[in-house]
Amino acid sequence: MLMEKVLKPMSGYLALILSLILLGGSAYLFITGINDGENIDVTYIIISIVAFFLMCFLLKGLMIIQPNHSRVLNFFGRYVGTVKDNGLFFINPLYSSQKMSLRSENLQGQTLKVNDKMGNPIEIAVVMVWKVGDTYKAAFDVERYSDFVKMQSEAAVRHLAMSFPYDNLEDDHAPITLREGGDKINSILEQELTDRLSKAGIIIQEARISHLAYASEIAGAMLQRQQATAIVAARTKIVEGAVGMVDLALKKLSEENIVELDDERKAAMVSNLMVVLCGEKAATPILNAGTLYN
């Protein structure tokens, strides 16, 4: 299996100077040949034509490579190597070259509608930063590597969404979810993209989920479910705290011998304290000016 081979071609400034000299010499010889009295000197003209074609041959071997760009070189269908240095270079004029950018590129994926692990329809989109790492694979192993990146990134996102639940409302034992996975989910996504795009010589520098939500047809119902779950969780905490406060109050009253309460009065006190502590609104106190039992 062929791999990328980096070439270090010779500088092109010498070839450029020779081309300019040949151009000047060709023009001088041609003018001299046709102005040699009444007779045209065919020798001068032939030499000038040869010099002109030699100049064109040298100019074809010159190439300019901008920073973070490369040229993939072929010789009659055979891969020769890749030039990644920037500047003016001279290569074999018979080589054919293909330009390829090595700069990082952003890909904002479209929002996809897909079912999560629990079968709930969700909307998900990712943004990723990628660049060409192996020019041979990008040029010859796939057809139009930029389209390959788009298609495989969409497949990776779909596979990720179907592998994990959106949240743990239906799967309490889920070790990781799309909504709460954070860096772990992003790391799994990056690895998935790397595995899929490595055959095209693509390097994934970063991948993040940019959009994640329930699909519109179930978004309202899921929001109500989340709100109900949050309310139940909050009430549970309130009740736990209220029970602890009531228990503490009864123990303090008993330890300090402030008042002796029978079981009936304890039950009434517990009921009143629970109403006060667990109520959504502030309780309005009622003063009892009589005895404890009146």
Side-chain angles (χ1 to χ4, degrees):
M1 180 178 180
L2 293 177
M3 301 294 291
E4 180 186 72
K5 181 170 60 176
V6 180
L7 295 181
K8 300 290 185 180
M10 63 179 295
S11 175
Y13 291 101
L14 179 59
L16 178 61
I17 294 173
L18 290 176
S19 299
L20 295 176
I21 293 174
L22 288 172
L23 177 61
S26 175
Y28 174 77
L29 292 172
F30 184 80
I31 295 173
T32 302
I34 62 176
N35 291 333
D36 188 12
E38 296 181 355
N39 299 322
I40 297 177
D41 193 332
V42 179
T43 304
Y44 282 174
I45 294 177
I46 293 176
I47 294 175
S48 68
I49 294 175
V50 171
F52 179 78
F53 279 105
L54 182 59
M55 177 208 66
C56 294
F57 187 73
L58 291 177
L59 288 178
K60 188 179 183 301
L62 292 176
M63 66 177 183
I64 299 176
I65 302 180
Q66 304 294 338
N68 280 330
H69 285 73
S70 66
R71 291 287 187 92
V72 180
L73 305 179
N74 299 305
F75 183 67
F76 294 108
R78 182 175 63 86
Y79 173 68
V80 176
T82 302
V83 181
K84 292 188 174 181
D85 294 335
N86 60 290
L88 177 64
F89 301 102
F90 178 75
I91 60 174
N92 188 336
L94 298 179
Y95 287 170
S96 61
S97 64
Q98 176 183 348
K99 295 181 180 180
M100 188 169 295
S101 174
L102 301 178
R103 294 177 294 184
S104 298
E105 297 188 40
N106 281 319
L107 176 62
Q108 175 63 58
Q110 62 178 347
T111 301
L112 304 175
K113 182 180 290 187
V114 60
N115 293 337
D116 68 354
K117 185 179 180 180
M118 307 307 297
N120 298 316
I122 63 173
E123 294 178 352
I124 185 171
V126 301
V127 59
M128 55 182 267
V129 182
W130 63 276
K131 69 175 184 178
V132 175
D134 191 315
T135 56
Y136 175 83
K137 292 181 178 180
F140 302 112
D141 283 357
V142 295
E143 185 74 23
R144 292 187 298 275
Y145 65 90
S146 57
D147 294 339
F148 185 82
V149 170
K150 294 178 182 178
M151 296 300 296
Q152 290 300 316
S153 62
E154 179 177 329
V157 172
R158 290 184 180 276
H159 182 263
L160 176 75
M162 292 186 295
S163 300
F164 300 97
Y166 178 86
D167 53 28
N168 54 8
L169 288 178
E170 296 184 9
D171 188 359
D172 296 335
H173 303 290
I176 184 172
T177 63
L178 295 174
R179 187 166 65 90
E180 299 178 354
D183 293 338
K184 182 63 175 178
I185 284 291
N186 292 329
S187 178
I188 295 174
L189 176 61
E190 290 181 8
Q191 186 60 47
E192 176 82 10
L193 290 169
T194 299
D195 294 341
R196 288 176 175 269
L197 298 177
S198 60
K199 64 182 64 178
I202 303 300
I203 297 176
I204 301 299
Q205 297 176 303
E206 184 181 9
R208 294 287 183 270
I209 294 178
S210 59
H211 173 77
L212 182 64
Y214 280 114
S216 57
E217 56 265 28
I218 66 167
M222 287 300 179
L223 179 59
Q224 293 179 353
R225 183 174 181 176
Q226 291 176 353
Q227 291 175 341
T229 303
I231 291 174
V232 170
R235 290 293 183 184
T236 301
K237 290 293 183 182
I238 291 174
V239 171
E240 290 177 356
V243 171
M245 295 174 66
V246 170
D247 181 62
L248 179 62
L250 293 176
K251 288 181 178 179
K252 284 293 184 180
L253 290 174
S254 177
E255 292 175 358
E256 300 294 336
N257 294 321
I258 297 175
V259 63
E260 292 291 337
L261 298 175
D262 57 18
D263 293 339
E264 183 180 352
R265 292 303 175 181
K266 284 184 180 180
M269 182 179 179
V270 169
S271 176
N272 292 335
L273 286 175
M274 291 296 292
V275 170
V276 172
L277 295 174
C278 297
E280 294 184 359
K281 298 182 180 179
T284 302
I286 300 176
L287 298 178
N288 184 7
T291 65
L292 183 64
Y293 294 93
N294 293 319

